[in-house]
Amino acid sequence: MTLAAPASAPARRFSPLLAPGLALAALLLSLCCHSPRLWAFARPLPGSAYWDRGLEFMRQVEQPLRVELRDPGLTWRLAPALLAHGLGLRGTAALAVPWAGLAALLWYGAHLALRLTGDWRLAGLFTGLLATTSATLTVTGWLGMNDAWYVLALLAAAYARPTAAWLPALFLGPWIDERFLFGLPLALWLRARTAPPGSLRPALLAAAAAVGAYLALRLTNAPGLPQAGVRTYLRHSLRHFPDWLPFAALGWLMGQRAAWYFTVRPIVAAFRADRREGLLLASLALAPLAALTLVAADTGRAPSLLLPLAFLGCAQLAATGPAGRAHRLAAGLLAANLLLPAMHVTYRNVDFINALPVELWRCLRAVPAGT
């Protein structure tokens, strides 16, 4: 293998409280600079992007396998709804599940960054960047969004060591969000480059079984499961994707913004090491991103499936150069993501994300919905 990809940094012992502490700090920093629409969350607002998915998710939780949903994209994303249903969460209480996924993502992201870099400062800065990508901002900005759960499953598929961690991720990932399937080939490539020898074959076999079972159940419309068809959704998307395609580049940019540095870095390194390896890695990243753009109008969410690659970029930065330089670069990227404009990009719509003081002011002035 031509691309250097350290499985982990030299072993260092960190306090078990460090990873959750970094995750909490990253989330608070993100909420201060990229606040939710607090005034919109005061009461349900049907017909708004902030509440529509949340209201549908609440309906799905009531009867996950039987309810007919207005949003066909949510119908087969059963794992979060079954979790909320099993925990007895109903109504607005079910909306805690996406936030629990976000907490788990940032916690595991900080833990993984510590393991890959052995540098708590770089890991903290990188976790802050993770908290400023669409994987986080979609969850904090819109109710009922479970993007963090599927990104967490991709990270586990790519990097988790115990079988008890990555095996459930492979089988549950497709039932969280179909985007998991788009990102799975890249996650398996990362496992091939970073996992201990001999661990790839079991992962490939498990991935084949998990994907096969999911496709068999979904494409055959098995009795007892939702009967929403795939063809109707695809026909609609492929007919209308030219409408949102002009906004796709903006959506991709907003999905990670300055964090794209860490995502692109391994691709550049691969090209420098071996052109064929570089082409393979670029294909594993760009092909699913392009395919997802053709079938999903919320283009700002698409780049989240590439976040596992950003962790490799962080590990490479830690392994190639003085620590001080890595800290300054990561701090500059984090500052850029916190200070530069951020927005949600869906279809042909752009929704700017304000800082917390602005949203508190709007909340106190009781800004009406839709303004």
Side-chain angles (χ1 to χ4, degrees), residues 157 166-167 170 184 188 191-192 195 198-210:
W166 59 259
L167 190 60
L170 290 175
L184 183 56
L188 293 175
R191 176 161 289 276
S199 65
L200 180 61
R201 180 178 173 83
L204 290 175
L205 292 175

Side-chain angles (χ1 to χ4, degrees), residues 205-274:
L205 292 175
V211 173
Y214 173 80
L215 293 178
L217 289 170
R218 178 158 185 177
L219 296 179
T220 58
N221 277 349
L225 290 178
Q227 301 299 302
V230 179
R231 295 178 183 176
T232 302
Y233 177 83
L234 289 178
R235 278 199 301 268
H236 178 271
S237 296
L238 295 177
R239 187 185 306 123
H240 292 285
F241 80 85
D243 296 338
W244 65 74
L245 198 58
F247 283 71
L250 178 62
W252 289 7
L253 175 63
M254 287 296 130
Q256 295 192 27
R257 294 179 296 135
W260 274 108
Y261 169 84
F262 287 107
T263 302
V264 172
R265 182 186 175 101
I267 300 176
V268 174
F271 269 107
R272 288 175 175 172
D274 185 303

Side-chain angles (χ1 to χ4, degrees), residues 304-324:
S304 293
L305 64 89
L306 302 182
L307 284 173
L309 189 58
F311 280 80
L312 176 58
C314 185
Q316 290 178 341
L317 177 63
T320 57

Side-chain angles (χ1 to χ4, degrees), residues 10-366:
R12 290 188 60 186
R13 299 189 65 177
F14 295 107
S15 166
L17 298 178
L18 181 57
L22 293 177
L24 179 60
L27 178 59
L28 293 176
L29 191 62
S30 176
L31 290 173
C32 286
C33 295
H34 306 306
S35 172
R37 295 281 198 262
L38 300 176
W39 55 268
F41 289 174
R43 64 186 185 281
L45 296 174
S48 74
Y50 314 117
W51 270 94
D52 275 356
R53 177 58 63 84
L55 293 172
E56 284 289 272
F57 181 65
M58 289 159 58
R59 290 183 61 237
Q60 185 186 31
V61 169
E62 294 290 335
Q63 292 182 307
L65 300 180
R66 292 191 175 91
V67 68
E68 293 185 8
L69 299 171
R70 304 181 191 92
D71 185 347
L74 189 61
T75 302
W76 281 83
R77 297 169 189 172
L78 295 172
L82 288 171
L83 174 62
H85 186 86
L87 292 175
L89 301 175
R90 300 293 187 272
T92 54
L95 300 178
V97 168
W99 280 81
L102 178 57
L105 171 63
L106 294 177
W107 189 333
Y108 182 69
H111 166 78
L112 183 58
L114 287 168
R115 193 190 89 195
L116 293 174
T117 65
D119 183 335
W120 71 269
R121 293 180 180 84
L122 181 57
L125 293 167
F126 183 79
T127 306
L129 272 173
L130 178 63
T132 60
T133 66
S134 62
T136 294
L137 300 183
T138 299
V139 177
T140 59
W142 298 340
L143 296 173
M145 307 299 286
N146 288 290
D147 291 33
W149 280 116
Y150 98 81
V151 175
L152 176 63
L154 283 175
L155 288 177
Y159 295 107
R161 290 293 175 260
T163 304
W166 59 259
L167 190 60
L170 290 175
F171 280 90
L172 292 175
W175 301 97
I176 299 171
D177 196 304
E178 300 87 345
R179 289 171 175 82
F180 175 85
L181 297 177
F182 287 82
L184 183 56
L186 177 60
L188 293 175
W189 182 93
L190 288 166
R191 176 161 289 276
R193 266 53 183 179
T194 62
S199 65
L200 180 61
R201 180 178 173 83
L204 290 175
L205 292 175
V211 173
Y214 173 80
L215 293 178
L217 289 170
R218 178 158 185 177
L219 296 179
T220 58
N221 277 349
L225 290 178
Q227 301 299 302
V230 179
R231 295 178 183 176
T232 302
Y233 177 83
L234 289 178
R235 278 199 301 268
H236 178 271
S237 296
L238 295 177
R239 187 185 306 123
H240 292 285
F241 80 85
D243 296 338
W244 65 74
L245 198 58
F247 283 71
L250 178 62
W252 289 7
L253 175 63
M254 287 296 130
Q256 295 192 27
R257 294 179 296 135
W260 274 108
Y261 169 84
F262 287 107
T263 302
V264 172
R265 182 186 175 101
I267 300 176
V268 174
F271 269 107
R272 288 175 175 172
D274 185 303
R275 185 175 297 273
R276 288 178 298 179
E277 190 85 2
L279 288 172
L280 173 61
L281 181 53
S283 299
L284 290 173
L286 294 177
L289 190 61
L292 189 56
T293 299
L294 296 181
V295 299
D298 41 4
T299 53
R301 296 169 62 196
S304 293
L305 64 89
L306 302 182
L307 284 173
L309 189 58
F311 280 80
L312 176 58
C314 185
Q316 290 178 341
L317 177 63
T320 57
R325 177 181 175 276
H327 297 162
R328 289 190 295 272
L329 176 57
L333 295 172
L334 176 57
N337 262 15
L338 292 172
L339 298 176
L340 293 176
M343 61 191 75
H344 300 292
V345 181
T346 302
Y347 192 64
R348 299 172 66 91
N349 303 316
V350 172
D351 184 19
F352 280 89
I353 306 172
N354 297 316
L356 181 60
V358 175
E359 290 303 327
L360 287 174
W361 180 81
R362 299 184 77 191
C363 191
L364 292 173
R365 288 181 55 94

